[in-house]
Amino acid sequence: MAKAMLVDLSKCIGCRACQVACKEWNQNAGEKTENTGTYENPPDLSPQTWTKIKFVEQNSGDNVKWLFRRMMCQHCTDAACEKVCPPKAISHLETTAVVIDQEKCTGCKYCISACPFNVPRYDAADNKAKKCTLCIDRISNGLIPACAKVCAPGAVQFGERSDMVKLAKARMDALKTKGVNDLRLYGESELGGLGVMVLMTAAAEDYGFPDKPSFPVSVNLWQDYLKPLTIVAGGGGILAVLVSFIGSIGYKHKQEGGE
Amino acid sequence: MGPTFGRGAMTQSWIDIKNSDVIMVCGSNPAENHPVSFKWVTKAMENGAKLIVVDPRFTRTASKADIFAHLRPGTDIAFFGGIINYIITNKMYHEDYIKSYSNASYLINPGYSFKDGLFSGYNDKDRKYVTDSWSYQTNDAGATIKDATLQDPACVFQLMKQHYSRYTPEIVAKTCGIPQAKFQEIAKTFAATGAKDKAGTLLYAMGLTQHTVGVQNIRAFSIIQILLGNMGIAGGGINALRGESNVQGSTDFGLLAGSLPGYNNLPDAAKHPTLAKYKESEVTKTGFTQNRAKWLISMLKAWWGDNASADNDFAYHYLPKNGAGFQKSGYTWIALFEAMYAKQIKGLLCWGQNPAVSGPNSNLETAALEKLEWMMVADLWKTETAEFWKRPGVKPENIKTEVFLLPAALSYEKQGSITNSGRLIQWRYKATDAPDKAKDDLWMVDTLYKEIKALYQGDPNAKFPAPILNLNWDYGQEPDSKMVAKEINGYTVADKKQLASFAKLADDGSTGCGNWIYSGYFVGDGPADNKAAARDTKADPGGLGLYPGWGYSWPLNRKIIYNRCSCDTAGNPWNPQKVLVQWDGAKWITNDVADFGAKDAATGNPITPDKTASAPYIMLAEGQARIFVPKGAIKDGPFPEQYEPVESVIKNPLSAQQINPAAKIWGADKDKLTAFGSKICPIIAITYRVTEHWQTGSMTRNLPWLTELMPEMFVEISPVLAERKQIAHGDWVTVASARGTVSARAIVTERLQGFKLCTGEPEVAGMPFHYGYTGLVTGGPDEDKNYSVNQLSPHVAEPNTGMPEYKTFLVDVRKAVT
């Protein structure tokens, strides 16, 4: 059975235990940061920061809303990064996790350009792309991901995908009766179903998620037509095609308003 | 809470929060500072509970609230008083409860009065009350006169009604800045828990206590909880969220300046010169405290063993006495630092504390450290206190204090118990050795004692050596925390057998017991005898989350204290769905350990409910919760009354008394205050913690995974103030008070707003207290700067506890000159 993570933003209190637990389990270094006028830090995902909480303030008159969003790999079923990876370093495993095999990664950055959620980060130190692994080393051994383990209010849950959907639907029903609108289970079907589903209490864009996540047309182009060529052909002849292709992914990405 | 209910402790457990119908968060920020507690707040909300958050700031807790209100700092009593008035006016109180379980019906001495902010008996020369008139009327036989109908104008209920009739929604709005409609919504929502089968709870922390009216803040909410019948029931109570892992333990063991272990009062030099005098005033004729002599004498036996006997009053004269101290101010925090600053104290043992960052008016307090001959600091890191002699702005060569830094073991590097929220004692095992030469605290105390004893023994001129030389002190060559635990639990002196509970303690010297309230937690050497180490996660009688098999909650593993009050006088639960205890007609069903006589100790026969119906608050002589606190058990008034903070922007809207008439104000040269009406510091400052750091940051500012989250000192201000001061997001600004300045990054946010009051709309500046000048990060880029907010806070104190007023004072905020 497929597994999934549910991030229930209606329960998230922005305590960032998930951020710390992620670094602790994966032994990723703390970064030197500055306060730029917000609680949010580090400023962005990085090779050392695979998840972070984005703090969003919304104000209308006397009503203040403070939204907390989990930024992390969404572990798409239709994973653009997997499709574009020339050395096939990225695989969508049975456990739901989409992982980058660090041995095979050549640092080409295609995955970075292709990701609809702008998640993987290039690490110049070892010329590899880095991102959340869904704690593959934990979940393959029967444990839940570190972030789910430490989440005090229970906003991060991990289990059978069908159970997570049920949990989310029940929560949404309860919230509806309390008068909460703008409810959405993001990732139930998007991109073939996200391995990390998000229960939202505001519009996706308010959190900084694309309303309708999709991946660039050029990814399909690459997957279906160009990638096979790299296997049979090599050398300079194809280089020009590649350069043009990379450019098109980058263009498409900006157009879709990724972060 | 001690003077109101009998015990100064969180009444419930963390898990019990899930049983609430309405949760009021006031003076705390559980989502940020007690995130694990929020698991249970979330559970309660899933069950349909409402969350009310009242705070000067919109916090991460507020982001989850059903109702949020901005409240001007220091106006909690006006707010709570308004709720009391609302409950009484709308008759939403739990009438049966207050008639049976509170002193609402007691008649008060006609000499008692309250006029324009002052209670009867005030002496303005020493800023103290003579409290004789705050007393119950008694008949010739000495019994208290009561009016069961609550109609007599002299009864507590009527006096309370009259007192709080002044706390109208208009006054609340003008004083607190909460719009009337919002206030009514909150009052209505919380007052609804006055229904018999509903429970409301309060989660509070330092936001209520760190004021010159700190004790009365808690008192005011206590009155609300009594009126609504929310005490002693599942999902009710008053939850003091403990901010430090062992802070309940520390107060249990006498770290409060005025108490001995187990909350026996520290003897007072004038009032209790002898054991006989102590017994006369401290041992009551009724209530459970009639046993107090047993607790004190057993403690003296534990401390001085064979050297404590009936012949020498069990060495009572060895005990330190209150009432002396610098300027007769006792031994509270500010008093000690004022004494140091006046060169009245020579040495300081500073243990797991960082006063250079945590103490108020830290420019005075660090200057006070310069006047010491020596100071010992035991800590994990070189803290600001350990390095106060090279703090920004001073020359180390001018400072003569000799500093000894002892590297200490972390909690995982030693074994022993901790006690925190819910009075839960939990045993912790050692996981790993401490690095290098770091030692655990028990080893340090033991070694220190042995050295001091040797010095006394060799000194013919030693002053009063007996209390040191005669101590009963043997915890082994390498001290063993289990031996300490056994002493705390108590034993028979003759055959050194561990006691089963404090019921076995005696006042004739036949038992020794380090802390009577812990008696029963460590009853022998067997594997199951250390009850603090119990870890049963299954048994949950009643399904309320009591889990009696996990750790041990003092006293006697009661999870919810005063639980007799969860039933009516006949023993029927107010809420049959959430039963703590219940009389089934023949015996008590006890899902929780009964906090009353349920069974006769000698015969084992059930005690019928009528026997306990009149005295469910067993630790009070009256046996009934005190809406009115008589006879100066609280020094600044039998009812809570709203006063302004010592530094305030407006005139007290309630009375001519601007500040708490009994507040303690200090007068050293560095004790400057901003006078009322001054235009120099017109902004209200508040201080707090964030999730990402802990206390003075000495631990968390040295951990890169945490420093990256909250790297720098900041001040939160509203866009209105930012515009007025030309301050942009992320700018470095200077915040100044009459006592000092601090640099901080500006966070401009609508989560903070000015307060719409009777006069003006004062702005607020919010700052964390985690930063300083040592460690991996200090709070900013400048090595020559001290980023500690307590350079700004004043030396003014609450009259009962000596608690400093950290939570509201006045500042100005200016854009930093670059």
Side-chain angles (χ1 to χ4, degrees):
Chain A
M1 285 289 282
K3 300 275 182 186
M5 178 177 280
L6 173 64
V7 179
D8 180 350
L9 294 178
S10 75
K11 287 186 182 175
C12 175
I13 54 175
C15 75
R16 301 195 277 185
C18 50
Q19 245 178 279
V20 177
C22 175
K23 293 216 163 182
E24 200 174 357
W25 179 257
N26 295 298
Q27 288 294 300
N28 286 343
E31 300 181 35
K32 191 162 168 42
T33 58
E34 289 182 354
N35 186 319
T36 54
T38 167
Y39 283 18
E40 195 174 318
N41 247 325
D44 195 6
L45 295 179
S46 79
Q48 298 297 329
T49 302
W50 298 349
T51 185
K52 62 167 278 189
I53 298 288
K54 190 178 168 69
F55 290 70
V56 182
E57 279 181 42
Q58 289 183 322
N59 310 300
S60 56
D62 278 351
N63 292 323
V64 179
K65 257 188 164 183
W66 206 2
L67 306 176
F68 311 116
R69 173 211 161 170
R70 192 76 202 282
M71 290 171 72
M72 65 183 291
C73 174
Q74 302 298 131
H75 297 276
C76 318
T77 298
D78 295 335
C81 58
E82 182 192 19
K83 291 196 172 176
V84 299
C85 182
K88 294 189 173 170
I90 301 182
S91 8
H92 187 173
L93 305 178
E94 277 175 38
T95 52
T96 299
V98 177
V99 296
I100 305 174
D101 184 335
Q102 294 289 301
E103 297 285 312
K104 290 187 187 162
C105 176
T106 59
C108 73
K109 306 183 197 172
Y110 289 9
C111 56
I112 295 169
S113 301
C115 175
F117 301 104
N118 184 24
V119 168
R121 290 293 183 272
Y122 175 69
D123 192 348
D126 60 1
N127 186 36
K128 309 275 181 195
K130 307 271 169 73
K131 70 165 193 69
C132 159
T133 68
L134 204 62
C135 280
I136 185 69
D137 44 354
R138 290 175 61 88
I139 60 175
S140 334
N141 288 292
L143 300 171
I144 60 173
C147 55
K149 180 84 183 165
V150 299
C151 182
V156 182
Q157 299 282 338
F158 185 81
E160 296 298 328
R161 184 177 181 86
S162 53
D163 291 344
M164 293 298 109
V165 171
K166 254 188 244 161
L167 200 64
K169 298 275 166 156
R171 175 72 177 159
M172 287 161 83
D173 286 344
L175 287 168
K176 240 179 254 165
T177 61
K178 271 193 118 172
V180 181
N181 299 316
D182 287 335
L183 291 164
R184 175 171 176 184
L185 180 58
Y186 188 92
E188 190 184 2
S189 56
E190 286 81 353
L191 296 174
L194 301 180
V196 178
M197 294 179 286
V198 184
L199 197 165
M200 299 174 171
T201 59
E205 283 103 334
D206 290 348
Y207 291 104
F209 278 100
D211 182 42
K212 293 189 178 110
S214 60
F215 46 79
V217 177
S218 43
V219 168
N220 288 327
L221 183 74
W222 167 252
Q223 165 78 3
D224 300 336
Y225 302 103
L226 296 176
K227 196 167 160 190
L229 293 180
T230 61
I231 299 159
V232 293
I238 201 147
L239 196 64
V241 184
L242 270 176
V243 168
S244 134
F245 163 73
I246 292 164
S248 76
I249 288 185
Y251 169 74
K252 184 72 186 169
H253 181 71
K254 272 180 207 149
Q255 206 179 38
E256 294 210 339
E259 289 164 73
Chain B
M1 286 200 280
T4 309
F5 304 114
R7 301 184 183 107
M10 176 162 160
T11 57
Q12 325 287 114
S13 70
W14 287 125
I15 301 177
D16 181 62
I17 296 169
K18 76 169 182 171
N19 296 318
S20 289
D21 296 298
V22 182
I23 298 165
M24 169 94 81
V25 171
C26 190
S28 73
N29 184 4
E32 298 195 43
N33 299 333
H34 302 85
V36 177
S37 76
F38 219 77
K39 173 177 184 164
W40 304 109
V41 175
T42 309
K43 277 259 190 296
M45 292 177 80
E46 281 181 317
N47 296 338
K50 286 223 157 61
L51 175 66
I52 301 170
V53 176
V54 179
D55 199 290
R57 292 182 303 147
F58 187 97
T59 60
R60 282 179 253 189
T61 305
S63 78
K64 293 288 166 278
D66 293 293
I67 311 173
F68 168 76
H70 281 285
L71 167 126
R72 178 170 65 98
T75 63
D76 306 277
I77 292 172
F79 171 62
F80 293 153
I83 295 179
I84 294 171
N85 187 26
Y86 182 94
I87 293 168
I88 297 172
T89 310
N90 295 286
K91 295 204 166 43
M92 292 176 86
Y93 47 86
H94 188 331
E95 193 164 351
D96 293 345
Y97 190 102
I98 60 170
K99 281 184 171 168
S100 305
Y101 300 153
S102 83
N103 69 0
S105 63
Y106 293 31
L107 302 197
I108 299 302
N109 188 325
Y112 162 78
S113 70
F114 173 79
K115 283 191 195 101
D116 202 13
L118 279 181
F119 296 93
S120 47
Y122 186 62
N123 179 346
D124 60 359
K125 277 207 184 98
D126 57 2
R127 299 179 57 81
K128 279 180 183 160
Y129 283 103
V130 176
T131 59
D132 297 346
S133 63
W134 311 352
S135 55
Y136 303 141
Q137 285 186 36
T138 50
N139 62 20
D140 293 341
T144 305
I145 305 173
K146 300 173 189 176
D147 172 26
T149 68
L150 308 183
Q151 296 306 312
D152 192 310
C155 81
V156 166
F157 184 80
Q158 291 299 329
L159 290 173
M160 164 179 64
K161 185 176 173 183
Q162 188 191 349
H163 190 95
Y164 293 106
S165 63
R166 304 177 297 130
Y167 289 67
T168 59
E170 298 80 47
I171 278 286
V172 173
K174 280 181 185 175
T175 309
C176 311
I178 303 177
Q180 285 191 46
K182 177 85 82 176
F183 169 73
Q184 302 264 18
E185 187 190 0
I186 294 172
K188 188 177 172 190
T189 305
F190 199 79
T193 65
K196 288 178 182 176
D197 59 349
K198 295 289 178 201
T201 191
L202 168 72
L203 309 185
Y204 82 90
M206 299 303 170
L208 287 188
T209 58
Q210 290 176 341
H211 293 277
T212 43
V213 291
V215 167
Q216 298 286 19
N217 279 340
I218 316 303
R219 276 275 302 140
F221 202 82
S222 301
I223 293 175
I224 294 174
Q225 290 298 67
I226 296 169
L227 287 175
L228 298 174
N230 278 334
M231 296 303 294
I233 65 173
I238 298 184
N239 290 306
L241 306 186
R242 298 309 198 171
E244 201 271 348
S245 60
N246 197 21
V247 75
Q248 180 74 50
S250 74
T251 60
D252 293 346
F253 282 85
L255 262 74
L256 292 172
S259 77
L260 291 167
Y263 302 95
N264 294 318
N265 279 328
L266 185 71
D268 182 89
K271 236 166 101 184
H272 316 114
T274 61
L275 180 60
K277 286 279 179 197
Y278 187 90
K279 284 189 192 168
E280 216 174 89
S281 77
E282 300 299 307
V283 180
T284 55
K285 294 196 173 57
T286 52
F288 202 65
T289 43
Q290 54 189 303
N291 296 304
R292 197 180 294 282
K294 297 175 187 170
W295 311 333
L296 180 78
I297 289 169
S298 295
M299 185 200 80
L300 292 169
K301 279 301 285 182
W303 288 12
W304 283 292
D306 292 344
N307 297 305
S309 64
D311 300 338
N312 71 347
D313 268 357
F314 300 101
Y316 176 82
H317 59 297
Y318 289 175
L319 285 177
K321 310 284 189 295
N322 222 339
F326 179 65
Q327 296 176 351
K328 294 195 174 167
S329 303
Y331 304 100
T332 56
W333 184 276
I334 294 177
L336 286 175
F337 276 88
E338 290 281 343
M340 264 179 246
Y341 189 60
K343 283 198 159 186
Q344 301 286 311
I345 291 176
K346 286 184 180 174
L348 173 67
L349 300 174
C350 188
W351 231 301
Q353 284 210 340
N354 189 10
V357 172
S358 65
N361 195 359
S362 62
N363 289 326
L364 183 150
E365 295 200 351
T366 45
L369 299 178
E370 293 180 19
K371 314 255 172 120
L372 295 168
E373 287 180 15
W374 56 266
M375 174 172 67
M376 183 208 88
V377 177
D379 216 304
L380 308 180
W381 275 278
K382 286 182 187 171
T383 61
E384 279 78 2
T385 304
E387 304 207 313
F388 84 97
W389 48 274
K390 58 175 185 180
R391 69 189 187 278
V394 300
K395 288 194 172 127
E397 59 269 30
N398 292 343
I399 296 170
K400 304 288 180 242
T401 312
E402 189 175 4
V403 179
F404 304 91
L405 178 62
L406 306 190
L410 182 67
S411 50
Y412 309 115
E413 297 162 354
K414 61 193 175 193
Q415 75 160 352
S417 72
I418 62 156
T419 311
N420 56 33
S421 301
R423 301 156 279 108
L424 181 64
I425 315 168
Q426 296 181 86
W427 195 263
R428 285 177 170 180
Y429 297 98
K430 177 175 168 176
T432 181
D433 286 331
D436 202 20
K437 288 177 183 158
K439 293 285 188 185
D440 63 74
D441 303 305
L442 178 59
W443 183 90
M444 290 185 209
V445 181
D446 188 66
T447 307
L448 197 58
Y449 169 69
K450 286 169 180 166
E451 293 284 335
I452 290 171
K453 185 177 178 183
L455 288 169
Y456 267 98
Q457 271 166 336
D459 185 355
N461 299 320
K463 271 190 201 169
F464 199 29
I468 298 286
L469 296 181
N470 291 340
L471 266 184
N472 179 34
W473 188 293
D474 181 11
Y475 308 107
Q477 190 69 29
E478 282 286 315
D480 177 357
S481 51
K482 287 191 170 163
M483 290 182 72
V484 180
K486 285 168 84 170
E487 178 182 309
I488 290 167
N489 176 82
Y491 52 86
T492 52
V493 170
D495 53 6
K496 290 279 186 291
K497 283 222 168 91
Q498 292 298 103
L499 297 175
S501 84
F502 48 71
K504 310 281 181 198
L505 294 175
D507 60 2
D508 59 2
S510 62
T511 55
C513 176
N515 190 340
W516 74 275
I517 57 176
Y518 279 56
S519 195
Y521 98 112
F522 207 103
V523 295
D525 292 313
D529 290 337
N530 177 356
K531 296 186 183 169
R535 291 292 180 270
D536 176 13
T537 56
K538 301 229 161 55
D540 180 20
L544 298 171
L546 297 169
Y547 295 105
W550 183 282
Y552 189 83
S553 291
W554 71 259
L556 297 180
N557 210 23
R558 290 166 182 141
K559 298 295 177 182
I560 295 176
I561 49 180
Y562 318 121
N563 53 33
R564 175 67 181 83
C565 300
S566 65
C567 299
D568 64 16
T569 51
N572 306 307
W574 301 116
N575 181 353
Q577 304 304 313
K578 291 174 183 170
V579 175
L580 295 174
V581 293
Q582 178 173 15
W583 179 255
D584 71 357
K587 63 175 188 312
W588 284 97
I589 297 164
T590 50
N591 290 329
D592 194 4
V593 177
D595 193 7
F596 56 93
K599 248 193 264 180
D600 187 282
T603 63
N605 293 332
I607 298 174
T608 53
D610 55 302
K611 299 282 192 304
T612 47
S614 63
Y617 290 91
I618 61 170
M619 294 299 292
L620 294 172
E622 302 94 316
Q624 290 170 315
R626 292 162 169 170
I627 290 170
F628 179 103
V629 173
K631 283 273 187 179
I634 288 178
K635 294 172 182 169
D636 51 346
F639 288 126
E641 170 67 9
Q642 170 68 27
Y643 302 107
E644 285 295 308
V646 169
E647 287 190 336
S648 172
V649 285
I650 68 162
K651 271 205 152 138
N652 185 359
L654 269 298
S655 77
Q657 291 300 318
Q658 176 69 5
I659 66 166
N660 184 348
K664 179 80 183 158
I665 295 170
W666 298 84
D669 58 349
K670 286 182 188 290
D671 282 323
K672 297 190 183 83
L673 291 171
T674 293
F676 176 69
S678 161
K679 295 203 164 51
I680 298 169
C681 291
I683 299 162
I684 303 166
I686 51 171
T687 65
Y688 42 81
R689 303 188 298 170
V690 296
T691 313
E692 296 81 0
H693 284 299
W694 193 65
Q695 310 291 63
T696 69
S698 57
M699 292 174 87
T700 51
R701 278 190 285 113
N702 284 298
L703 298 176
W705 290 330
L706 297 175
T707 57
E708 72 167 11
L709 299 173
M710 281 288 182
E712 291 174 319
M713 175 65 184
F714 63 82
V715 55
E716 296 184 278
I717 54 173
S718 75
V720 173
L721 181 58
E723 196 186 336
R724 196 184 300 159
K725 300 279 185 176
Q726 301 280 297
I727 292 166
H729 228 50
D731 278 353
W732 279 102
V733 299
T734 300
V735 185
S737 78
R739 296 155 294 278
T741 59
V742 70
S743 290
R745 290 270 202 184
I747 294 181
V748 180
T749 167
E750 288 186 48
R751 293 183 294 100
L752 276 83
Q753 294 175 8
F755 304 101
K756 294 182 181 65
L757 307 178
C758 44
T759 48
E761 287 189 30
E763 287 287 333
V764 64
M767 290 164 281
F769 86 97
H770 303 295
Y771 298 99
Y773 47 84
T774 69
L776 181 65
V777 304
T778 60
D782 194 339
E783 282 181 16
D784 298 328
K785 273 191 176 149
N786 179 353
Y787 292 96
S788 167
V789 73
N790 277 318
Q791 296 170 99
L792 310 180
S793 55
H795 258 199
V796 295
E798 200 279 338
N800 298 285
T801 60
M803 178 66 90
E805 190 156 69
Y806 290 103
K807 291 297 183 200
T808 166
F809 50 89
L810 295 182
V811 296
D812 192 20
V813 181
R814 299 187 287 263
K815 194 166 178 167
V817 183
T818 48

